[in-house]
Amino acid sequence: MTTLYAGKGDSKYKICITDKALPKNELNKFIGKKAKVLIVTDSGIPNTYVRALKQSIKNSSVHIHRINKGEQEKSFKNFQQILNKLIDLKFSRTDKIVAFGGGVVGDIAGFSAATFLRGIDYVQIPTTLLSQVDSSVGGKTAINVPQGKNLVGAFYNPKLVLISTTYLKTLSEKEYKSGLGEVIKYAFIDNQKLRRLIEKNSQKIISRDNKILKNIIEQSVKTKSKIVTKDEKESGIRAILNFGHTFGHAIEAHTGYKKLSHGAAITLGMIIASKISFFEGHLKDYQLENIINLADSIGLDTDHSNYKYSVLKKYIMNDKKVADGKLNLIMIDNNYKAFKTYKFKTTNIKKAFNS
Ligand SMILES: NC(=O)c1ccc[n+]([C@@H]2O[C@H](COP(=O)([O-])OP(=O)(O)OC[C@H]3O[C@@H](n4cnc5c(N)ncnc54)[C@H](O)[C@@H]3O)[C@@H](O)[C@H]2O)c1
């Protein structure tokens, strides 16, 4: 098991990563004795996992709240139902929430923990690759409202994150690849070791080899925790985590959030942003090739030819990265490091879309 940390001062938390079963002792140490526990999970998480998790919690009364699966369930209604459950069960500040599932469960359970009684402790036990490498670390919690995704939320760190690669066996291919999209993001923006690890082990990654998975998750979490610890409230360096997101979000919005998974859309966005970096002279041609080959080698789709700049432009200019009418983009330099800039030619965006 590998142990990492994220957060500062009182909000520092431990992240345990294992290729074996969940470390029960860590979970029980966090919960303590005689606490009440609410496991928040969703209908897509295999029952056997939920049962085993419940059984592994000792000396506490454990309750389960299961929402339906899907992005639309990260809703105000479900948030309210979780709060109602906590009130009905007479939860106090010393009781605990366990977020057990993908990013949807992590975000809504985390937001419930952030707001109930002005904040109670919670643990993230992420079960999708995306949530293991991304959403469980960094303390962003949220729900969606009809006006937009993640519009209501809070920065609220978990007290503990427990990551076991064993959960990933049952993940659908689409969801697995969505997570891989986020993994390569870290390799592109700030982690050479991860880039080489992926280059050498693409077949093992495709076949979900437990040991390699642990290594790539560890490297991804190292990068994410380093960045979010430096910039907890997203006022600076954290922006580089949005590499590929301006174009990826535009593709998601254009396709109604249905056709592609989040990671698949972000992968296309990263390829477009890398091409812009090349046309702007920041990346060498062989480096751009390396980036595209890396994504290809683990089975990610890099062909964005179905998406035209003229069609996506309205979504791109709606992006929250537009400040004072200027679009800010995350680009990559020839040390494979991401940086934010508003200095680029629009013609190079068009060129990137067309290439
Ligand atoms: N808080 C953050 O920093 C942050 C970062 C990135 C994304 N997000 C949020 O994360 C959400 C997406 O998360 P996601 O991609 O994990 O999707 P998800 O939570 O919807 O999970 C995807 C699907 O996989 C199923 N599933 C989960 N674990 C499984 C397992 N082990 N075996 C089989 N099926 C399993 C779920 O039931 C669901 O149907 C979005 O709402 C996004 O806004 C948050």
Side-chain angles (χ1 to χ4, degrees):
M1 188 172 87
T2 301
T3 303
L4 303 172
Y5 290 88
K8 285 187 272 232
D10 284 351
S11 65
K12 186 170 174 178
Y13 53 99
K14 198 175 186 181
I15 305 163
C16 304
I17 307 169
T18 178
D19 51 8
K20 311 270 175 341
L22 202 74
K24 290 179 199 165
N25 49 341
E26 291 290 342
L27 181 62
N28 282 298
K29 231 191 305 168
F30 156 74
I31 289 170
K33 285 195 177 121
K34 291 189 185 151
K36 288 180 193 143
V37 176
L38 185 68
I39 299 175
V40 179
T41 188
D42 79 32
S43 58
I45 317 298
N47 252 324
T48 45
Y49 296 169
V50 181
R51 241 180 280 132
L53 178 66
K54 186 175 181 196
Q55 278 164 11
S56 67
I57 300 173
K58 307 288 174 215
N59 306 317
S60 300
S61 56
V62 185
H63 307 267
I64 294 171
H65 185 86
R66 211 186 259 270
I67 62 174
N68 286 328
K69 65 180 180 185
E71 182 64 36
Q72 70 286 355
E73 302 300 327
K74 217 170 88 179
S75 64
F76 198 85
K77 188 173 153 228
N78 277 327
F79 165 62
Q80 201 166 21
Q81 282 180 0
I82 295 171
L83 296 184
N84 284 341
K85 186 88 157 233
L86 294 168
I87 293 166
D88 289 349
L89 291 168
K90 299 192 168 45
F91 264 53
S92 74
R93 280 227 180 90
T94 53
D95 297 323
K96 312 282 191 293
I97 290 180
V98 176
F100 187 53
V104 163
V105 162
D107 278 11
I108 194 169
F111 186 53
S112 306
T115 46
F116 183 70
L117 301 179
R118 300 192 180 90
I120 66 170
D121 291 348
Y122 74 113
V123 50
Q124 288 275 14
I125 307 182
T127 60
T128 62
L129 181 57
L130 182 136
S131 57
Q132 296 191 343
V133 297
D134 190 359
S135 57
S136 62
V137 175
K140 274 188 178 179
T141 71
I143 54 169
N144 302 328
V145 288
Q147 291 87 342
K149 273 186 66 169
N150 298 326
L151 281 189
V152 178
F155 285 100
Y156 189 65
N157 283 338
K159 280 280 180 276
L160 176 71
V161 181
L162 297 177
I163 298 174
S164 164
T165 59
T166 60
Y167 292 128
L168 301 178
K169 279 194 294 258
T170 47
L171 206 56
S172 72
E173 195 59 21
K174 186 177 177 184
E175 296 301 342
Y176 181 62
K177 282 190 177 168
S178 181
L180 286 179
E182 296 291 343
V183 169
I184 57 166
K185 181 183 79 180
Y186 299 115
F188 297 158
I189 61 172
D190 192 32
N191 193 325
Q192 311 300 322
K193 195 169 170 187
L194 177 57
R195 199 165 56 79
R196 286 191 289 271
L197 200 61
I198 299 171
E199 271 166 6
K200 279 201 193 127
N201 296 286
S202 53
Q203 285 315 309
K204 285 188 174 167
I205 293 172
I206 290 172
S207 64
R208 306 190 195 186
D209 177 280
N210 245 343
K211 287 217 155 37
I212 289 299
L213 274 175
K214 177 177 173 271
N215 289 345
I216 63 169
I217 291 167
E218 192 180 313
Q219 287 304 320
S220 301
V221 171
K222 263 189 185 161
T223 301
K224 171 121 195 201
S225 57
K226 184 178 82 180
I227 294 169
V228 299
T229 302
K230 270 192 200 153
D231 178 17
E232 291 206 310
K233 300 255 166 93
E234 205 167 38
S235 51
I237 183 78
R238 197 164 175 160
I240 66 168
L241 292 173
N242 290 326
F243 178 53
H245 281 56
T246 300
F247 305 111
H249 281 159
I251 292 171
E252 283 185 297
H254 171 64
T255 52
Y257 296 92
K258 291 213 165 73
K259 194 171 161 212
L260 297 178
S261 69
H262 177 68
I266 297 307
T267 301
L268 297 180
M270 290 190 285
I271 299 301
I272 295 166
S274 302
K275 287 181 176 176
I276 299 170
S277 307
F278 166 67
F279 290 128
E280 284 289 321
H282 304 303
L283 271 182
K284 307 245 183 327
D285 51 359
Y286 77 89
Q287 292 179 312
L288 174 61
E289 232 169 81
N290 276 351
I291 287 177
I292 298 172
N293 288 344
L294 194 74
D296 276 339
S297 74
I298 50 172
L300 300 179
D301 188 8
T302 55
D303 176 7
H304 54 80
S305 58
N306 280 336
Y307 306 101
K308 305 285 172 231
Y309 178 64
S310 53
V311 178
L312 295 193
K313 194 178 161 194
K314 64 174 182 213
Y315 301 108
I316 293 169
M317 292 314 289
N318 260 342
D319 196 85
K320 58 186 175 197
K321 269 78 78 191
V322 176
D324 298 332
K326 277 188 182 147
L327 177 66
N328 280 289
L329 284 183
I330 310 300
M331 291 204 216
I332 303 291
D333 70 17
N334 58 14
N335 292 314
Y336 293 105
K337 289 251 180 215
F339 65 100
K340 181 169 140 181
T341 181
Y342 60 86
K343 291 183 185 157
F344 51 84
K345 295 194 196 86
T346 308
T347 47
N348 283 337
I349 301 188
K350 289 182 195 157
K351 246 167 114 177
F353 268 88
N354 291 332
S355 63

